[in-house]
Amino acid sequence: VLSNVIFFSILITYLSISISNQKDKILSGGMNFSLFHKPKTTQTSLSIFEGVFIFIISIVLFYTLGQIIGSLPILGGAGLPLAFFICFFLPSFMFMKYKNVEILKFLDFHLPSWQQVLGGILFVIPLYAITVLFALLIQLFVPEVADNSQTTKLINDIKEKNGLLALFLIVAVTPGIFEEFIMRGVLFHSIKKQLKPLAAIVLTGLIFSFMHGFLRMLPLIPVGILLTWVMYRTKSIFIPMLIHTLFNSTSILLPYLEKAVNKNTLNPNSNIPTDNDHLQ
């Protein structure tokens, strides 16, 4: 919590300084920068300051109002998807509409080719392998990273209350769509207008990993950077959404596959040889 507060405080401070430096143009109705100015004509994108501003608003909403919505018993399994929609999608969409932004063009809502879709599916394999290897390396210096008890408990609770299909929709599909919308969509496309591509890719990737909390941030650094690189290369936000969803789905499936393999290995009726068979 402390690390997140410090990080977003720095962003807000930077944004405040930028606003004060532009105060003359804002007061005179200048078009260069104003969060509250509504353009009369259609514009192709948000500025870097506008993108960072709406990103901060979305994050603050998600970790305050979103936590309340997601935990309401009356909403059941729909609480978390609703929180993502209200906190990540709605503010950004309304802000871009207010700014007369060409949303589909700005966020690269272009249908990908079948080669890009196939490449995105196959890309999940090396992405997951890199993440696991990076996590193992990080654990040598920060052993606490290996503690996934809270995440495991959350997944098990969702599965018990809503079933396996709902688990995929809540844990895999929902973050895959809405996190990509705010990160690789709004934030990255705002940042890359004023930064070099490599700097924008790395910065967006680091912010993406940081928003998951300090301990979870470290293993997710490669995921954040590579997903942003995919967005930059494919020019279609649907590909990172696909990869993100499949990546989260893999994280859900692997524990079940591991249990199935262990159960089959320890089953006395199994044809797989055990240590006792070798001893006999």
Side-chain angles (χ1 to χ4, degrees):
V1 173
L2 178 61
S3 61
N4 279 282
V5 169
I6 293 174
F7 177 76
F8 289 111
S9 296
I10 293 173
L11 282 180
I12 293 172
T13 302
Y14 175 71
L15 190 62
S16 301
I17 293 173
S18 301
I19 292 174
S20 63
N21 289 338
Q22 299 287 341
K23 63 181 180 180
D24 294 334
K25 294 181 180 179
I26 293 173
L27 294 175
S28 62
M31 294 293 291
N32 185 43
F33 173 73
S34 175
L35 288 174
F36 307 104
H37 173 73
K38 183 177 182 179
K40 295 180 180 179
T41 58
T42 302
Q43 56 182 21
T44 58
S45 65
L46 297 175
S47 69
I48 185 173
F49 303 106
E50 292 167 339
V52 171
F53 168 76
I54 196 60
F55 170 75
I56 292 175
I57 294 298
S58 298
I59 293 298
V60 171
L61 282 175
F62 185 76
Y63 283 104
T64 53
L65 178 63
Q67 298 297 317
I68 298 174
I69 296 174
S71 60
L72 288 176
I74 191 173
L75 294 175
L80 191 56
L82 185 61
F84 271 99
F85 176 80
I86 291 177
C87 301
F88 279 169
F89 175 79
L90 208 54
S92 302
F93 179 78
M94 293 175 63
F95 187 75
M96 287 186 288
K97 291 293 288 184
Y98 177 77
K99 286 291 184 177
N100 285 327
V101 174
E102 297 181 46
I103 298 177
L104 297 181
K105 184 177 181 180
F106 171 52
L107 300 180
D108 278 334
F109 272 91
H110 304 137
L111 289 177
S113 65
W114 69 267
Q115 293 96 333
Q116 290 177 328
V117 173
L118 179 60
I121 295 173
L122 296 176
F123 189 75
V124 176
I125 300 173
L127 179 63
Y128 199 88
I130 292 172
T131 305
V132 171
L133 291 175
F134 196 75
L136 292 174
L137 179 63
I138 293 297
Q139 285 176 25
L140 296 176
F141 305 97
V142 189
E144 292 83 359
V145 170
D147 184 13
N148 296 319
S149 56
Q150 291 184 350
T151 303
T152 303
K153 183 179 182 300
L154 175 63
I155 291 177
N156 290 334
D157 289 344
I158 295 175
K159 180 178 178 294
E160 290 177 4
K161 295 178 181 178
N162 305 282
L164 187 59
L165 178 60
L167 176 64
F168 277 99
L169 292 175
I170 295 171
V171 177
V173 178
T174 299
I177 293 175
F178 292 110
E179 286 185 7
E180 291 307 309
F181 177 86
I182 190 67
M183 291 300 311
R184 251 64 62 175
V186 176
L187 185 63
F188 173 64
H189 284 89
S190 302
I191 290 176
K192 76 172 186 177
K193 295 294 181 181
Q194 297 190 26
L195 297 181
K196 293 182 178 180
L198 180 59
I201 290 170
V202 173
L203 180 59
T204 305
L206 291 176
I207 294 176
F208 168 78
S209 58
F210 199 96
M211 66 179 280
H212 289 82
F214 179 71
L215 291 180
R216 291 189 63 195
M217 163 195 175
L218 300 176
L220 290 177
I221 289 177
V223 179
I225 294 176
L226 289 173
L227 280 176
T228 312
W229 175 79
V230 168
M231 172 74 253
Y232 175 74
R233 291 288 296 176
T234 62
K235 302 293 188 297
S236 174
I237 197 171
F238 292 110
I239 299 301
M241 284 181 176
L242 172 65
I243 296 174
H244 193 154
T245 299
L246 292 176
F247 182 87
N248 286 2
S249 299
T250 304
S251 302
I252 295 172
L253 283 175
L254 280 182
Y256 291 100
L257 293 175
E258 183 180 356
K259 287 181 180 180
V261 171
N262 291 337
K263 183 178 180 180
N264 189 38
T265 303
L266 298 175
N267 188 351
N269 297 324
S270 172
N271 294 325
I272 301 177
T274 62
D275 291 339
N276 291 334
D277 296 330
H278 292 296
L279 291 174
Q280 292 174 357

